[in-house]
Amino acid sequence: MRIDVLTIFPDYLAPLDLSLVGKARRSGLLDLAVHDLRDWTADRHRTVDDTPFGGGAGMVMRPDVWGEALDAVLADDDAGQPAVLLVPGPGGEVLTQRTAEELAGARRLVIACGRYEGIDARVAEHYATRPGVEVREISIGDYVLNGGEVAALVVIEAVARLLPGVVGNPESLVEESHGAAGLLEYPVYTKPPEWRGHAVPEVLTSGHHGKVARWRRDRALERTAARRPDLLARLAPDALDPADRRV
Ligand SMILES: COC(=O)COc1cccc(COC(=O)c2cn[nH]c2)c1
């Protein structure tokens, strides 16, 4: 997968050199480039914003600069791969694990990080008509950030870890929260068996794998019912077996 990020704060994306995503880049599993939007300005001050039509506080990011940048990045392509143009913003579809799975199937992601009051609306409008480009505004939650960079980091991590070979043991992608089971994760424990008077649940040291699996499923169901009943409601009817009804 290729990911291009466009931002006026490239350093904000430095964490993508670290850990699993950094490793995936170095091993060639993920081709990720961060671009400074100001490289496509034409004036001495490298201006990317201007005052909003209709008045109001703050500034809006100019369409002409974004157009030059996005044309250049989209054109830099080996075989005309279709691209998903992601615009992180509070008004977007909320990112879920399902969205991450969808995006992990794309050949290219181009992420346009907005700042100020946002990017001139004509940019998304224009690229939505571009053949081979799908525009998606993505929200990482119902709150407002100062720019799209943090949201870009979240999207990239959620997507990159689903790419084959990025996470050591793909098994771990199944059981975690919001994984294939669609439930929250069960509680986990490690040594020592007793810590500050807190013992590890006995079943986990019983060596009885069937009981351990049942206990974990019960805890995941309990947690999901208590903290995220909305997820339970969304589960496919056949996702719960008769033994689950006990919880
Ligand atoms: C068309 O979209 C845009 O212009 C986006 O522009 C902006 C402007 C300011 C801030 C942001 C950052 O996104 C969020 O605040 C956000 C994302 N998820 N939850 C909150 C983006």
Coordinates of all heavy atoms in Angstrom, one line a residue, residues 74-156:
L74 N -1.1 12.9 -6.9 CA -1.9 11.8 -7.5 C -1.3 11.4 -8.9 O -1.4 10.2 -9.3 CB -3.4 12.4 -7.8 CG -4.2 12.5 -6.5 CD1 -5.5 13.3 -6.8 CD2 -4.6 11.1 -6.0
A75 N -0.6 12.4 -9.5 CA 0.0 12.0 -10.8 C 1.2 11.1 -10.6 O 1.6 10.3 -11.5 CB 0.4 13.3 -11.5
D76 N 1.9 11.2 -9.5 CA 3.0 10.4 -9.2 C 2.6 9.0 -8.8 O 2.4 8.7 -7.7 CB 3.8 11.1 -8.0 CG 5.0 10.1 -7.6 OD1 5.4 9.3 -8.4 OD2 5.4 10.2 -6.4
D77 N 2.4 8.2 -9.9 CA 1.7 6.9 -9.6 C 2.2 5.9 -10.7 O 2.3 6.3 -11.8 CB 0.2 7.2 -9.8 CG -0.5 5.9 -9.5 OD1 0.2 4.9 -9.2 OD2 -1.7 5.9 -9.6
D78 N 2.5 4.7 -10.3 CA 3.1 3.8 -11.2 C 2.1 3.3 -12.2 O 2.2 3.4 -13.4 CB 3.7 2.6 -10.5 CG 2.8 2.0 -9.4 OD1 1.6 2.5 -9.4 OD2 3.2 1.2 -8.6
A79 N 0.9 2.8 -11.8 CA 0.0 2.3 -12.8 C -1.4 2.8 -12.7 O -2.4 2.0 -12.7 CB 0.0 0.7 -12.6
G80 N -1.5 4.1 -12.5 CA -2.9 4.7 -12.4 C -3.8 4.0 -11.4 O -4.9 3.7 -11.6
Q81 N -3.2 3.7 -10.3 CA -4.0 3.0 -9.2 C -5.1 4.0 -8.7 O -4.9 5.1 -8.6 CB -3.1 2.7 -8.0 CG -2.0 1.7 -8.3 CD -2.5 0.4 -8.7 OE1 -3.7 0.1 -8.5 NE2 -1.7 -0.4 -9.5
P82 N -6.3 3.4 -8.5 CA -7.3 4.2 -7.8 C -6.8 4.6 -6.5 O -6.1 3.9 -5.8 CB -8.5 3.2 -7.8 CG -8.0 1.9 -7.9 CD -6.7 2.0 -8.7
A83 N -7.2 5.8 -6.1 CA -6.8 6.4 -4.8 C -8.0 6.8 -4.0 O -9.0 7.3 -4.5 CB -5.8 7.6 -5.0
V84 N -7.8 6.6 -2.6 CA -8.8 7.1 -1.7 C -8.2 8.4 -1.2 O -7.1 8.4 -0.6 CB -9.1 6.2 -0.6 CG1 -10.2 6.8 0.4 CG2 -9.7 4.9 -1.1
L85 N -8.9 9.5 -1.4 CA -8.5 10.8 -0.8 C -9.2 11.0 0.5 O -10.4 11.2 0.5 CB -8.8 12.0 -1.8 CG -8.5 13.4 -1.3 CD1 -7.1 13.6 -0.9 CD2 -8.9 14.4 -2.4
L86 N -8.4 10.9 1.6 CA -9.0 11.0 2.9 C -8.8 12.4 3.4 O -7.7 13.0 3.4 CB -8.3 10.1 3.9 CG -8.6 8.6 3.7 CD1 -7.8 7.8 4.8 CD2 -10.1 8.3 3.8
V87 N -9.9 13.0 3.9 CA -9.8 14.3 4.5 C -10.3 14.2 6.0 O -11.5 14.1 6.2 CB -10.6 15.4 3.8 CG1 -10.4 16.8 4.4 CG2 -10.4 15.4 2.3
P88 N -9.4 14.2 6.9 CA -9.8 14.1 8.3 C -10.5 15.4 8.7 O -10.1 16.5 8.4 CB -8.5 14.0 9.1 CG -7.4 13.6 8.1 CD -7.9 14.1 6.8
G89 N -11.7 15.2 9.4 CA -12.4 16.4 9.8 C -13.6 16.0 10.6 O -14.1 14.9 10.6
P90 N -14.0 17.0 11.5 CA -15.1 16.6 12.5 C -16.4 16.3 11.8 O -17.3 15.7 12.3 CB -15.2 17.9 13.3 CG -14.4 18.9 12.7 CD -13.5 18.3 11.6
G91 N -16.5 16.7 10.5 CA -17.8 16.5 9.8 C -17.8 15.2 9.0 O -18.7 14.9 8.2
G92 N -16.8 14.3 9.2 CA -16.7 13.1 8.4 C -17.4 11.9 9.0 O -17.9 12.0 10.1
E93 N -17.4 10.8 8.2 CA -17.9 9.5 8.7 C -17.0 9.1 9.8 O -15.7 9.3 9.7 CB -17.9 8.5 7.6 CG -16.5 8.2 7.1 CD -16.5 7.1 6.0 OE1 -16.7 5.9 6.3 OE2 -16.3 7.5 4.8
V94 N -17.5 8.6 10.9 CA -16.7 8.2 12.1 C -15.9 6.9 11.8 O -16.5 5.9 11.3 CB -17.5 8.1 13.4 CG1 -16.6 7.7 14.5 CG2 -18.2 9.4 13.7
L95 N -14.6 7.0 12.0 CA -13.7 5.8 11.8 C -14.1 4.7 12.7 O -14.2 4.9 13.9 CB -12.2 6.3 12.0 CG -11.2 5.2 11.9 CD1 -10.9 4.9 10.4 CD2 -9.9 5.6 12.6
T96 N -14.3 3.5 12.2 CA -14.5 2.3 13.0 C -13.5 1.2 12.5 O -12.9 1.4 11.4 CB -15.9 1.8 12.8 OG1 -16.1 1.3 11.4 CG2 -17.0 2.8 13.1
Q97 N -13.5 0.1 13.1 CA -12.6 -1.0 12.7 C -13.0 -1.4 11.3 O -12.2 -1.7 10.4 CB -12.7 -2.1 13.7 CG -11.6 -3.2 13.5 CD -10.2 -2.7 13.6 OE1 -10.0 -1.7 14.3 NE2 -9.2 -3.4 13.1
R98 N -14.3 -1.3 11.0 CA -14.8 -1.7 9.7 C -14.2 -0.8 8.6 O -13.8 -1.2 7.6 CB -16.3 -1.8 9.6 CG -17.0 -2.7 10.6 CD -16.6 -4.2 10.4 NE -16.8 -5.0 11.6 CZ -15.7 -5.3 12.4 NH1 -14.5 -4.9 12.1 NH2 -15.9 -6.0 13.5
T99 N -14.2 0.5 9.0 CA -13.7 1.5 8.0 C -12.2 1.2 7.8 O -11.7 1.2 6.7 CB -13.8 2.9 8.6 OG1 -15.0 3.1 9.3 CG2 -13.7 4.0 7.5
A100 N -11.5 0.9 8.9 CA -10.0 0.6 8.8 C -9.8 -0.6 7.9 O -8.9 -0.6 7.0 CB -9.5 0.4 10.2
E101 N -10.7 -1.6 8.0 CA -10.5 -2.8 7.2 C -10.8 -2.5 5.7 O -10.1 -2.9 4.8 CB -11.5 -3.9 7.7 CG -11.1 -4.5 9.0 CD -12.3 -5.3 9.7 OE1 -13.4 -5.3 9.1 OE2 -12.0 -5.8 10.7
E102 N -11.8 -1.6 5.5 CA -12.0 -1.2 4.1 C -10.8 -0.5 3.5 O -10.3 -0.8 2.4 CB -13.2 -0.2 4.1 CG -14.6 -0.7 3.8 CD -15.6 0.5 4.0 OE1 -15.4 1.5 3.3 OE2 -16.5 0.4 4.8
L103 N -10.3 0.5 4.3 CA -9.2 1.3 3.8 C -8.0 0.5 3.6 O -7.1 0.7 2.7 CB -9.0 2.5 4.8 CG -10.1 3.5 4.9 CD1 -9.8 4.6 5.9 CD2 -10.4 4.2 3.5
A104 N -7.8 -0.6 4.4 CA -6.6 -1.4 4.3 C -6.6 -2.2 3.0 O -5.6 -2.7 2.5 CB -6.6 -2.4 5.5
G105 N -7.8 -2.2 2.3 CA -7.9 -2.9 1.0 C -7.6 -2.0 -0.1 O -7.5 -2.4 -1.3
A106 N -7.4 -0.7 0.1 CA -7.1 0.3 -1.0 C -5.7 0.1 -1.4 O -4.8 -0.3 -0.7 CB -7.4 1.7 -0.5
R107 N -5.4 0.5 -2.7 CA -4.0 0.5 -3.2 C -3.3 1.8 -2.7 O -2.1 1.8 -2.5 CB -4.1 0.4 -4.7 CG -4.6 -0.9 -5.2 CD -3.8 -2.1 -4.7 NE -2.4 -2.0 -5.1 CZ -1.9 -2.5 -6.2 NH1 -2.7 -3.1 -7.1 NH2 -0.6 -2.3 -6.5
R108 N -4.0 2.9 -2.7 CA -3.4 4.1 -2.3 C -4.3 4.9 -1.4 O -5.5 5.0 -1.6 CB -3.2 5.0 -3.6 CG -2.1 4.7 -4.5 CD -1.8 5.8 -5.4 NE -1.1 6.9 -4.7 CZ -0.7 8.1 -5.3 NH1 -1.0 8.3 -6.6 NH2 0.0 9.0 -4.6
L109 N -3.7 5.6 -0.4 CA -4.4 6.6 0.4 C -3.7 7.9 0.2 O -2.4 7.9 0.3 CB -4.4 6.2 1.9 CG -5.1 4.8 2.2 CD1 -5.1 4.6 3.8 CD2 -6.6 4.8 1.8
V110 N -4.4 8.9 0.0 CA -3.8 10.3 0.0 C -4.5 11.0 1.1 O -5.8 11.1 1.0 CB -3.9 11.0 -1.4 CG1 -3.3 12.4 -1.3 CG2 -3.2 10.2 -2.5
I111 N -3.8 11.5 2.1 CA -4.5 12.1 3.3 C -4.2 13.6 3.3 O -3.0 14.0 3.3 CB -4.0 11.5 4.6 CG1 -4.2 9.9 4.5 CG2 -4.8 12.0 5.8 CD1 -3.7 9.2 5.8
A112 N -5.2 14.4 3.2 CA -5.1 15.8 3.1 C -5.4 16.4 4.5 O -6.6 16.4 5.0 CB -6.1 16.4 2.1
C113 N -4.4 16.9 5.2 CA -4.5 17.4 6.6 C -4.9 18.8 6.5 O -4.1 19.7 6.1 CB -3.3 17.2 7.4 SG -2.8 15.4 7.6
G114 N -6.2 19.1 7.0 CA -6.6 20.5 7.1 C -6.1 21.2 8.3 O -5.8 20.5 9.3
R115 N -6.1 22.5 8.2 CA -5.8 23.3 9.4 C -6.7 24.5 9.4 O -7.6 24.6 8.5 CB -4.3 23.8 9.4 CG -3.3 22.8 9.8 CD -3.1 22.8 11.3 NE -2.6 21.6 11.9 CZ -2.4 21.4 13.2 NH1 -2.4 22.5 14.0 NH2 -2.0 20.2 13.7
Y116 N -6.5 25.4 10.3 CA -7.4 26.6 10.4 C -8.8 26.2 10.5 O -9.2 25.3 11.1 CB -7.2 27.5 9.1 CG -5.7 27.8 8.8 CD1 -5.0 27.1 7.8 CD2 -5.0 28.7 9.6 CE1 -3.7 27.4 7.6 CE2 -3.6 29.0 9.3 CZ -3.0 28.3 8.3 OH -1.7 28.5 8.1
E117 N -9.7 26.8 9.7 CA -11.2 26.5 9.7 C -11.5 25.4 8.7 O -12.6 25.0 8.6 CB -12.0 27.7 9.4 CG -11.8 28.9 10.3 CD -11.9 28.4 11.8 OE1 -12.9 27.8 12.1 OE2 -11.0 28.7 12.6
G118 N -10.5 24.9 8.0 CA -10.7 23.8 7.0 C -10.2 24.2 5.6 O -9.7 25.3 5.4
I119 N -10.4 23.2 4.7 CA -10.0 23.4 3.4 C -11.2 23.8 2.5 O -12.3 23.4 2.7 CB -9.5 22.0 2.8 CG1 -8.4 21.4 3.7 CG2 -9.1 22.1 1.4 CD1 -8.0 20.0 3.4
D120 N -10.9 24.7 1.6 CA -12.0 25.2 0.7 C -12.8 24.0 0.2 O -12.2 23.1 -0.3 CB -11.3 26.0 -0.4 CG -12.4 26.7 -1.4 OD1 -13.2 25.9 -2.0 OD2 -12.4 27.9 -1.5
A121 N -14.1 24.1 0.3 CA -15.0 22.9 0.1 C -14.9 22.5 -1.4 O -15.1 21.3 -1.7 CB -16.4 23.3 0.4
R122 N -14.4 23.4 -2.3 CA -14.3 23.0 -3.7 C -13.3 22.0 -4.0 O -13.3 21.3 -5.0 CB -14.1 24.3 -4.5 CG -15.3 25.2 -4.6 CD -15.0 26.5 -5.2 NE -14.1 27.3 -4.3 CZ -13.6 28.5 -4.6 NH1 -14.0 29.1 -5.8 NH2 -12.9 29.2 -3.8
V123 N -12.3 21.8 -3.1 CA -11.2 20.8 -3.3 C -11.8 19.4 -3.3 O -11.7 18.7 -4.2 CB -10.1 21.0 -2.2 CG1 -9.1 19.9 -2.4 CG2 -9.5 22.4 -2.3
A124 N -12.6 19.1 -2.2 CA -13.2 17.8 -2.1 C -14.2 17.6 -3.3 O -14.2 16.6 -3.9 CB -13.9 17.6 -0.8
E125 N -14.9 18.7 -3.6 CA -15.9 18.6 -4.7 C -15.2 18.3 -6.0 O -15.6 17.4 -6.7 CB -16.5 20.1 -4.8 CG -17.9 20.2 -5.2 CD -18.3 21.7 -5.1 OE1 -18.5 22.2 -3.9 OE2 -18.2 22.4 -6.1
H126 N -14.1 19.0 -6.2 CA -13.3 18.8 -7.5 C -12.8 17.3 -7.6 O -13.0 16.7 -8.6 CB -12.2 19.8 -7.6 CG -11.3 19.5 -8.8 ND1 -11.6 19.8 -10.1 CD2 -10.0 19.0 -8.8 CE1 -10.6 19.5 -10.9 NE2 -9.7 19.0 -10.2
Y127 N -12.1 16.9 -6.6 CA -11.5 15.6 -6.7 C -12.5 14.4 -6.7 O -12.2 13.3 -7.1 CB -10.4 15.4 -5.7 CG -9.2 16.2 -6.1 CD1 -9.0 17.5 -5.6 CD2 -8.3 15.8 -7.0 CE1 -8.0 18.3 -6.0 CE2 -7.2 16.5 -7.5 CZ -7.1 17.8 -6.9 OH -6.0 18.6 -7.4
A128 N -13.7 14.7 -6.2 CA -14.8 13.7 -6.2 C -15.2 13.4 -7.6 O -15.6 12.3 -7.9 CB -16.0 14.1 -5.4
T129 N -14.9 14.3 -8.5 CA -15.3 14.1 -10.0 C -14.1 13.5 -10.7 O -14.2 13.1 -11.9 CB -15.6 15.4 -10.6 OG1 -14.5 16.2 -10.6 CG2 -16.8 16.1 -9.9
R130 N -12.9 13.4 -10.1 CA -11.7 12.9 -10.7 C -11.8 11.4 -10.9 O -11.9 10.7 -9.9 CB -10.5 13.3 -9.9 CG -9.2 12.8 -10.4 CD -8.6 13.5 -11.6 NE -8.3 14.9 -11.4 CZ -7.1 15.4 -11.1 NH1 -6.1 14.6 -10.9 NH2 -6.9 16.7 -11.0
P131 N -11.8 10.8 -12.1 CA -11.8 9.4 -12.3 C -10.7 8.7 -11.4 O -9.6 9.2 -11.4 CB -11.6 9.1 -13.8 CG -11.9 10.4 -14.4 CD -11.6 11.5 -13.4
G132 N -11.0 7.6 -10.8 CA -10.0 6.9 -10.0 C -9.7 7.4 -8.6 O -8.9 7.0 -7.9
V133 N -10.5 8.5 -8.3 CA -10.3 9.1 -6.9 C -11.6 9.0 -6.2 O -12.6 9.4 -6.7 CB -9.8 10.6 -7.0 CG1 -9.7 11.2 -5.6 CG2 -8.5 10.7 -7.7
E134 N -11.5 8.4 -5.0 CA -12.7 8.4 -4.1 C -12.4 9.3 -2.9 O -11.4 9.2 -2.2 CB -13.0 7.0 -3.6 CG -14.2 6.9 -2.7 CD -14.2 5.6 -1.9 OE1 -13.3 4.7 -2.1 OE2 -15.1 5.4 -1.0
V135 N -13.3 10.3 -2.7 CA -13.0 11.3 -1.6 C -13.8 10.8 -0.4 O -15.0 10.6 -0.5 CB -13.4 12.7 -2.0 CG1 -13.2 13.7 -0.8 CG2 -12.7 13.1 -3.2
R136 N -13.2 10.7 0.8 CA -13.9 10.4 2.0 C -13.4 11.3 3.2 O -12.2 11.3 3.5 CB -13.6 8.9 2.4 CG -14.3 7.9 1.5 CD -13.9 6.5 1.8 NE -14.7 6.0 3.0 CZ -14.7 4.7 3.3 NH1 -14.1 3.8 2.5 NH2 -15.4 4.3 4.3
E137 N -14.4 12.0 3.8 CA -14.0 12.8 5.0 C -14.2 11.9 6.2 O -15.3 11.2 6.3 CB -14.9 14.0 5.1 CG -14.4 15.0 6.2 CD -15.2 16.3 6.3 OE1 -15.8 16.7 5.3 OE2 -15.2 16.9 7.3
I138 N -13.2 11.8 7.0 CA -13.2 10.8 8.1 C -13.0 11.6 9.4 O -12.1 12.4 9.6 CB -12.0 9.8 7.9 CG1 -12.1 9.0 6.7 CG2 -11.9 9.0 9.2 CD1 -12.9 7.7 6.8
S139 N -13.9 11.2 10.4 CA -13.8 11.8 11.7 C -13.2 10.7 12.6 O -13.6 9.5 12.5 CB -15.1 12.3 12.2 OG -15.1 12.4 13.6
I140 N -12.3 11.1 13.6 CA -11.9 10.1 14.5 C -12.7 10.2 15.8 O -12.4 9.5 16.8 CB -10.4 10.1 14.8 CG1 -9.9 11.5 15.3 CG2 -9.6 9.7 13.5 CD1 -8.5 11.4 15.9
G141 N -13.7 11.1 15.8 CA -14.5 11.2 17.1 C -15.1 12.6 17.1 O -14.7 13.5 16.4
D142 N -16.1 12.7 18.0 CA -16.9 13.9 18.1 C -16.2 14.9 19.0 O -16.7 15.2 20.1 CB -18.3 13.6 18.6 CG -19.0 12.7 17.5 OD1 -18.6 12.8 16.3 OD2 -19.9 12.0 17.9
Y143 N -15.1 15.5 18.5 CA -14.5 16.6 19.2 C -13.7 17.3 18.1 O -13.6 16.9 17.0 CB -13.5 16.0 20.3 CG -12.8 14.8 19.9 CD1 -11.7 14.9 19.0 CD2 -13.2 13.5 20.3 CE1 -11.1 13.7 18.6 CE2 -12.6 12.4 19.8 CZ -11.5 12.5 19.0 OH -10.9 11.3 18.6
V144 N -13.2 18.5 18.4 CA -12.5 19.3 17.4 C -11.0 19.3 17.7 O -10.6 19.6 18.9 CB -13.1 20.7 17.3 CG1 -12.4 21.5 16.2 CG2 -14.6 20.6 17.1
L145 N -10.2 19.1 16.7 CA -8.7 19.2 16.9 C -8.3 20.4 16.1 O -9.1 21.0 15.4 CB -8.0 17.9 16.3 CG -8.5 16.6 16.9 CD1 -8.0 15.4 16.1 CD2 -8.0 16.5 18.3
N146 N -7.0 20.8 16.2 CA -6.5 22.0 15.5 C -6.2 21.7 14.1 O -6.0 22.6 13.3 CB -5.3 22.5 16.2 CG -5.7 23.1 17.6 OD1 -6.8 23.6 17.8 ND2 -4.8 22.9 18.6
G147 N -6.1 20.4 13.7 CA -5.7 20.1 12.4 C -5.9 18.6 12.1 O -6.1 17.8 13.1
G148 N -5.7 18.2 10.9 CA -5.9 16.8 10.6 C -4.8 15.8 10.8 O -4.9 14.6 10.7
E149 N -3.6 16.4 11.3 CA -2.4 15.5 11.4 C -2.6 14.4 12.4 O -2.3 13.2 12.2 CB -1.2 16.3 11.8 CG -0.7 17.2 10.7 CD -1.5 18.5 10.4 OE1 -2.4 18.8 11.3 OE2 -1.3 19.1 9.4
V150 N -3.2 14.7 13.6 CA -3.3 13.7 14.7 C -4.3 12.6 14.2 O -4.1 11.4 14.3 CB -3.8 14.3 16.0 CG1 -4.4 13.3 16.9 CG2 -2.8 15.2 16.6
A151 N -5.4 13.1 13.5 CA -6.3 12.1 12.9 C -5.7 11.2 11.9 O -5.9 10.0 11.8 CB -7.5 12.9 12.3
A152 N -4.7 11.8 11.1 CA -4.0 11.1 10.1 C -3.2 10.0 10.7 O -3.2 8.8 10.3 CB -3.1 12.0 9.2
L153 N -2.6 10.3 11.8 CA -1.8 9.3 12.6 C -2.7 8.1 13.0 O -2.3 6.9 12.9 CB -1.1 9.9 13.8 CG 0.1 10.9 13.5 CD1 0.5 11.6 14.8 CD2 1.3 10.1 12.9
V154 N -3.8 8.5 13.5 CA -4.8 7.4 14.0 C -5.2 6.5 12.8 O -5.1 5.3 12.9 CB -6.0 8.1 14.7 CG1 -7.1 7.1 14.9 CG2 -5.6 8.7 16.0
V155 N -5.6 7.2 11.7 CA -6.1 6.4 10.6 C -4.9 5.5 10.1 O -5.1 4.3 9.8 CB -6.6 7.3 9.5 CG1 -6.9 6.5 8.2 CG2 -7.8 8.1 9.9
I156 N -3.7 6.1 9.9 CA -2.6 5.3 9.4 C -2.3 4.1 10.3 O -2.1 3.0 9.8 CB -1.4 6.2 9.2 CG1 -1.7 7.2 8.0 CG2 -0.1 5.4 8.9 CD1 -0.7 8.3 7.9

